[in-house]
Amino acid sequence: MKFKQLVVAGLILSIASFAKAAPSSDFVVRDIKVEGLQRVALGAALTYLPVTVGDEMNSFRISQLIRSMYSSTHFENIKIFRDGNTLLVRVTERPTISNIVFEDNDDIKDEQLQESLNDANIIVGEPLDKTVLTSIENGLKDFFYSIGKYNADVTAIITPLPRNRVDVKLLFEEGDSAKIQQINVVGNDTYSDFELLEQVELKFDTPWWDFLSETRYQKQTLTGDMETITSYYKDRGYLRFNIDSTQVSMTPDKSGIYITLNVAEGEKYTISEVELIGDLLGYEDYIKLVLPLTKGELYNQSTVTYTEEFISKYLGRYGYAYPTVTTIPDINEEDKTVKLVLSVDPGKRIYVRRINFAGNIGTADEVLRQSVSQMEGSWLSNATLEQSKNSLSRLTYMENVDFETVRLPGEEDKVDVNFTVKEQPSGAFNAGIGYGDRTKLSLQAGIQQDNFLGTGKRIAFNVSTVSYQKSVQLSYTDPYFTIDGISLGGSVSYSEFDGSSANLIQYNSKQFSIGSNIGYPIDQFNRINFGLTYSTVELFQNQPYVQTTRFNNQFVDENNPDAAINYDSFLASVAWSRSTLNRGVFPTAGSSQRASFGITTPNSDVNYFKTEIDGKWYFPLSRNQRWSFLARLKMGYGNGYSDADGLDQILPFTQHFTAGGSDSLRGFENNTVGPRGLQVTPSLVVTDPNGIPVLGNNANDSISISTRSLGGNAMILGGVELIVPTPFVDVDFDNSVRTSLFIDAGNVWDTEFDFNRYKDLNVNNTYSNDALIDYSDPSLYRASGGVSVQWLSPMGPMVFSFSRVIQDREGDDSKFFTFNIGQTF
């Protein structure tokens, strides 16, 4: 508006100048001259003149000429003269912007300011329109006023430069935001000021320690608070509630704000009837069955809104993507009831023409399409689109996934679906470093690529040289071996393991394994996998313990009892997995469960089975899901089956479950939770058929408790975590950094251990002063609590945990701080 006024004023002044310089009579133009041009070429300037030689000039033509010249945006001043029959146009070009500088702006970032200037064509290299700049000054002042900075000022400083150029500087004086001194609610009888103000974001008179409260006045926040109060009433039956007026007044120095809300509560209304009208496409019975609005209940605006959204989403499942659902209240003032009439217009069924992907730099389109269940050419289903989004989000190489439907011009029943993805590193350099009283310095390294060359295939090569293990493993998985989602994978590995360096009993092993697996999708969330793995194991330097003697005696050579033990096995396995997680990494909603069962084939040297169940459940606590609650549970059990040479088979101790460390029970040293190795010194060395010493009643019988664990054949681990926003980290990094408060609990025990056999023996204090506890008792749980920070770094996932033990047992080794790189979340 101001720009138009200035243009009109310029026209009037130009016409006045022409009137003074030219005779009042009209004339025919014989020549045209333009003076004052610098940057604009003469030919370009003449194109903006709606006058040519031979035209007759008059006042109307003059106004047309000036308006046309100003519309070119190249000139800031235009004067018109008559020199005989020559039309003389004198112009002053707008200066070219050489540089734009922002100074003392804190609340608005430079990028935001530049974006605003770009929209107004205030760009380096372009001519400067001073009138637009003035409008921007006023707009920025209005912004500061809206956030309570009434003393703020914005000044545009234009510095002339040679060759008709200028520097533009926006100088900010933001000042301090006005503080809210008091908020008054007038007209409320049902709910007190305290109850209402507890619901809103703006606060006043807060204690010094409540630094999170918003005491600065902000216009937008006040608007949101008014909507909150309105919803508070309307969700409790006050259908006619209204905020009649709002007064915002300032203190004389503009540093304080007083806010008064004048409300009219009205009466409570009860729903007398709910009626559905319109075309519900034959789904009336189902919608009526699940309709949350109920006759006789108080009116609730949130429930009404939810009902409208529910009907819209339900129809959207069947291709009616743009239905119109309107609630018409029929109010009866006599009995304070309201009849709700839901009018439904489903519109036309919408079909998908094309599905497009954007943002995938390294991942091929066909890889993403494999996870999309919405098909081109079929009708649009909002449920299927959400399923497709969730499937893409669960890919470990996707950080964020969004989609939008775009209606095609001239096509009422067709849309394109555009998925926009943001990739995150799909490869990781996995490393771990740690130090413990027993493990000393440990290192490991490996490379894993979940999206090899953008194909979606997973390949991993890991080499470990930690103090207790040297291993190498190569694995490959094609998650879409067939078009219908059947996966195929395989792995080969070799390891050398030293139990004593891993906080376990003394034994060394060498193992070579090769295996393959195939997976079948049951539906979008469920999957079943089958696998077969061949392993050959060599055990040596195996110290005799009560719990290992029974297993070792199956393979010991009586002529050479110190020789290594060798055995082969074929392990057949089946696993079921289910996942509804909203993301593959750092999920905040949904759940995942996995159950597996493995059993060696009868032709194996060892016959055993082993089963595990692992589940995680995420419950978002806030709408933006920055706050979330996680519950975890992991259980396992294994044992032998059949017999060998008349002796019952048991689970090999190399297959025992262990606990302790950052991936199970934080606050405890790795692998230290659970049964510990026992050595018995009987007065008479006599063994039963299983090779276990037969103990007499001699007072010299004793038992030695090792400082090291050997794990057990049963396990239960669990915990809860409160996922919170990471302090001092911007919300944009929520997908890369996670902080949580946790409590871990669980136990590992041995169902084959006979406590009564050893409980009355003397404890030999050679190795440990600890008392013997019942290693078959599942109730001897451990627990810890603390804080964990996880960071998805360029090197791979990093985990920092600070823990404090809540419950421990004899011989447990606690650990306050743990740090891992490459830990799986």
Side-chain angles (χ1 to χ4, degrees):
M1 181 63 69
K2 292 182 178 180
F3 175 73
K4 292 181 178 179
Q5 293 173 348
L6 291 170
V7 170
V8 172
L11 291 173
I12 294 172
L13 291 173
S14 300
I15 294 172
S17 299
F18 179 82
K20 292 180 179 179
S24 59
S25 59
D26 299 337
F27 72 99
V28 177
V29 177
R30 300 302 180 189
D31 192 14
I32 300 174
K33 292 183 180 180
V34 181
E35 297 179 351
L37 296 175
Q38 297 182 24
R39 179 174 48 84
V40 181
L42 176 61
L46 291 175
T47 60
Y48 298 110
L49 292 174
V51 178
T52 59
V53 173
D55 289 344
E56 182 176 345
M57 289 299 299
N58 52 42
S59 58
F60 175 73
R61 286 285 185 121
I62 293 171
S63 63
Q64 277 189 319
L65 185 151
I66 294 175
R67 187 180 297 110
S68 177
M69 293 287 283
Y70 270 118
S71 67
S72 70
T73 72
H74 293 297
F75 310 108
E76 83 177 354
N77 191 24
I78 302 169
K79 293 183 178 180
I80 301 174
F81 300 91
R82 173 183 175 182
D83 184 8
N85 289 331
T86 299
L87 179 66
L88 179 61
V89 181
R90 290 179 180 170
V91 298
T92 302
E93 291 184 359
R94 289 178 177 172
T96 302
I97 301 173
S98 177
N99 192 26
I100 301 175
V101 177
F102 309 110
E103 189 172 309
D104 296 334
N105 53 303
D106 295 324
D107 282 337
I108 310 178
K109 296 180 180 179
D110 287 2
E111 295 78 10
Q112 293 173 303
L113 289 169
Q114 189 59 62
E115 183 178 348
S116 177
L117 294 180
N118 290 345
D119 293 339
N121 204 38
I122 307 295
I123 306 171
V124 172
E126 295 294 326
L128 173 64
D129 185 348
K130 295 179 181 178
T131 60
V132 174
L133 196 60
T134 301
S135 176
I136 290 176
E137 281 182 335
N138 295 331
L140 290 171
K141 290 178 184 178
D142 291 339
F143 166 76
F144 285 114
Y145 296 162
S146 71
I147 60 174
K149 293 192 172 184
Y150 292 99
N151 291 315
D153 191 22
V154 181
T155 304
I157 302 175
I158 301 173
T159 305
L161 299 174
R163 302 192 303 277
N164 198 28
R165 296 176 301 122
V166 293
D167 277 349
V168 177
K169 176 191 288 187
L170 287 178
L171 181 62
F172 293 83
E173 294 181 14
E174 296 185 351
D176 296 326
S177 293
K179 300 291 184 180
I180 300 175
Q181 302 297 323
Q182 192 170 356
I183 303 176
N184 299 309
V185 183
V186 179
N188 54 311
D189 296 324
T190 306
Y191 302 107
S192 66
D193 288 10
F194 176 80
E195 289 177 283
L196 296 177
L197 296 181
E198 276 291 301
Q199 312 303 318
V200 302
E201 186 175 347
L202 291 178
K203 304 291 183 182
F204 73 96
D205 194 25
T206 58
W208 64 269
W209 48 263
D210 191 5
F211 56 87
L212 294 178
S213 294
E214 182 58 78
T215 58
R216 300 183 307 168
Y217 171 73
Q218 297 191 47
K219 185 178 180 180
Q220 287 183 328
T221 306
L222 177 60
T223 302
D225 287 346
M226 293 167 61
E227 293 177 357
T228 300
I229 292 175
T230 300
S231 298
Y232 187 79
Y233 271 93
K234 290 191 174 182
D235 290 349
R236 288 159 176 78
Y238 293 89
L239 175 59
R240 291 195 179 278
F241 173 84
N242 187 49
I243 298 180
D244 293 334
S245 62
T246 305
Q247 289 88 39
V248 178
S249 57
M250 286 184 293
T251 57
D253 60 358
K254 299 182 180 181
S255 64
I257 294 289
Y258 290 87
I259 301 173
T260 301
L261 304 177
N262 296 286
V263 304
E265 291 181 333
E267 300 288 339
K268 282 187 177 182
Y269 290 81
T270 303
I271 300 175
S272 61
E273 185 181 351
V274 180
E275 181 182 354
L276 290 171
I277 62 174
D279 185 6
L280 279 84
L281 307 171
Y283 302 113
E284 295 92 340
D285 293 340
Y286 175 78
I287 293 177
K288 289 179 180 179
L289 185 65
V290 298
L291 209 62
L293 295 171
T294 306
K295 177 182 177 181
E297 290 187 349
L298 285 175
Y299 175 84
N300 188 307
Q301 181 65 50
S302 295
T303 306
V304 171
T305 302
Y306 171 79
T307 302
E308 294 174 347
E309 293 175 351
F310 168 77
I311 295 175
S312 297
K313 289 181 179 180
Y314 186 78
L315 296 179
R317 294 165 61 104
Y318 303 100
Y320 298 90
Y322 304 105
T324 301
V325 182
T326 306
T327 302
I328 306 170
D330 183 5
I331 301 174
N332 187 330
E333 292 292 355
E334 293 183 2
D335 58 5
K336 303 301 178 186
T337 60
V338 56
K339 175 183 177 181
L340 299 178
V341 180
L342 296 171
S343 175
V344 181
D345 178 10
K348 290 189 175 182
R349 175 170 276 183
I350 307 299
Y351 293 85
V352 177
R353 184 190 68 166
R354 184 177 295 119
I355 298 176
N356 304 308
F357 296 93
N360 51 315
I361 300 174
T363 307
D365 276 12
E366 55 265 27
V367 174
L368 300 180
R369 290 183 187 277
Q370 292 169 347
S371 298
V372 174
S373 49
Q374 173 70 61
M375 305 299 293
E376 294 178 342
S378 65
W379 39 262
L380 178 68
S381 170
N382 53 18
T384 306
L385 282 178
E386 287 294 337
Q387 292 174 1
S388 302
K389 176 184 176 180
N390 292 335
S391 296
L392 288 169
S393 299
R394 283 192 290 269
L395 297 174
T396 57
Y397 42 89
M398 288 295 151
E399 179 178 339
N400 189 50
V401 179
D402 286 310
F403 70 85
E404 64 173 349
T405 56
V406 181
R407 306 192 76 163
L408 302 179
E411 301 281 353
E412 295 183 359
D413 60 347
K414 289 186 177 64
V415 297
D416 282 350
V417 179
N418 297 330
F419 282 93
T420 302
V421 302
K422 182 180 180 182
E423 296 172 315
Q424 63 186 8
S426 58
F429 169 72
N430 301 326
I433 183 170
Y435 186 86
D437 293 336
R438 299 170 180 170
T439 60
K440 304 303 179 183
L441 185 66
S442 59
L443 300 170
Q444 63 182 16
I447 296 176
Q448 177 175 314
Q449 176 61 260
D450 289 343
N451 186 21
F452 184 65
L453 299 179
T455 62
K457 298 178 176 63
R458 293 191 293 270
I459 186 169
F461 178 73
N462 289 282
V463 177
S464 174
T465 58
V466 297
S467 60
Y468 55 85
Q469 184 176 35
K470 295 181 176 66
S471 66
V472 58
Q473 182 183 39
L474 176 65
S475 63
Y476 170 84
T477 302
D478 184 355
Y480 282 91
F481 179 68
T482 64
I483 194 171
D484 52 358
I486 295 177
S487 64
L488 183 66
S491 65
V492 59
S493 64
Y494 173 78
S495 67
E496 297 179 1
F497 185 79
D498 180 2
S500 62
S501 297
N503 296 327
L504 298 174
I505 59 174
Q506 174 60 56
Y507 74 91
N508 290 68
S509 68
K510 294 180 180 180
Q511 179 171 334
F512 171 79
S513 299
I514 184 170
S516 63
N517 62 82
I518 187 170
Y520 296 87
I522 300 174
D523 55 31
Q524 180 190 359
F525 304 113
N526 295 272
R527 190 175 191 85
I528 189 168
N529 284 72
F530 300 93
L532 182 64
T533 301
Y534 164 75
S535 297
T536 178
V537 179
E538 178 184 357
L539 292 177
F540 54 96
Q541 294 186 1
N542 188 3
Q543 296 295 320
Y545 294 92
V546 167
Q547 300 98 319
T548 63
T549 302
R550 180 176 171 183
F551 175 79
N552 292 338
N553 282 353
Q554 301 176 72
F555 306 100
V556 169
D557 184 352
E558 295 182 358
N559 298 321
N560 186 11
D562 295 328
I565 293 174
N566 294 277
Y567 59 89
D568 298 338
S569 64
F570 293 88
L571 182 68
S573 62
V574 59
W576 162 79
S577 60
R578 178 181 181 273
S579 177
T580 61
L581 298 175
N582 61 337
R583 283 200 295 267
V585 179
F586 290 160
T588 55
S591 65
S592 67
Q593 296 83 37
R594 176 179 171 82
S596 64
F597 177 79
I599 186 170
T600 56
T601 58
N603 61 322
S604 301
D605 294 334
V606 289
N607 297 134
Y608 68 88
F609 65 90
K610 194 174 181 181
T611 184
E612 292 186 63
I613 299 175
D614 190 0
K616 295 180 180 180
W617 295 265
Y618 291 86
F619 303 93
L621 302 179
S622 60
R623 289 187 178 182
N624 59 12
Q625 298 188 0
R626 299 195 72 196
W627 293 77
S628 187
F629 180 79
L630 164 64
R632 295 176 284 104
L633 179 64
K634 186 175 183 180
M635 299 184 294
Y637 176 75
N639 216 325
Y641 75 92
S642 185
D643 59 75
D645 298 329
L647 301 178
D648 291 337
Q649 296 263 27
I650 61 172
L651 182 71
F653 63 89
T654 57
Q655 294 293 325
H656 277 183
F657 301 104
T658 60
S662 59
D663 60 344
S664 56
L665 278 173
R666 287 163 285 196
F668 294 87
E669 184 67 73
N670 292 337
N671 302 327
T672 60
V673 173
R676 296 160 67 187
L678 300 182
Q679 292 180 317
V680 176
T681 307
S683 58
L684 297 174
V685 182
V686 180
T687 61
D688 65 11
N690 290 322
I692 299 177
V694 176
L695 305 176
N697 295 320
N698 192 297
N700 293 325
D701 290 347
S702 64
I703 187 169
S704 298
I705 304 175
S706 173
T707 57
R708 304 189 183 279
S709 171
L710 55 70
N713 69 331
M715 170 195 67
I716 182 167
L717 301 171
V720 294
E721 293 192 39
L722 177 63
I723 300 168
V724 301
T726 303
F728 313 113
V729 175
D730 191 84
V731 64
D732 295 337
F733 295 96
D734 278 355
N735 291 341
S736 301
V737 181
R738 166 167 289 183
T739 301
S740 62
L741 309 176
F742 67 85
I743 294 178
D744 293 341
N747 189 24
V748 174
W749 67 97
D750 184 358
T751 62
E752 298 294 315
F753 182 74
D754 186 359
F755 177 64
N756 293 326
R757 188 183 185 94
Y758 310 103
K759 66 179 181 178
D760 296 325
L761 298 182
N762 297 322
V763 175
N764 186 335
N765 294 330
T766 302
Y767 304 107
S768 170
N769 294 322
D770 298 329
L772 178 66
I773 61 176
D774 188 356
Y775 297 135
S776 66
D777 187 354
S779 66
L780 299 179
Y781 71 94
R782 281 79 164 171
S784 64
V787 179
S788 177
V789 178
Q790 304 171 9
W791 174 34
L792 193 64
S793 73
M795 294 178 60
M798 303 177 69
V799 182
F800 307 85
S801 297
F802 300 87
S803 313
R804 183 177 180 85
V805 172
I806 300 174
Q807 175 67 271
D808 60 358
R809 303 294 174 181
E810 290 283 355
D812 290 342
D813 189 3
S814 62
K815 192 172 186 180
F816 172 70
F817 172 71
T818 58
F819 163 61
N820 287 278
I821 304 177
Q823 181 68 43
T824 302
F825 299 149

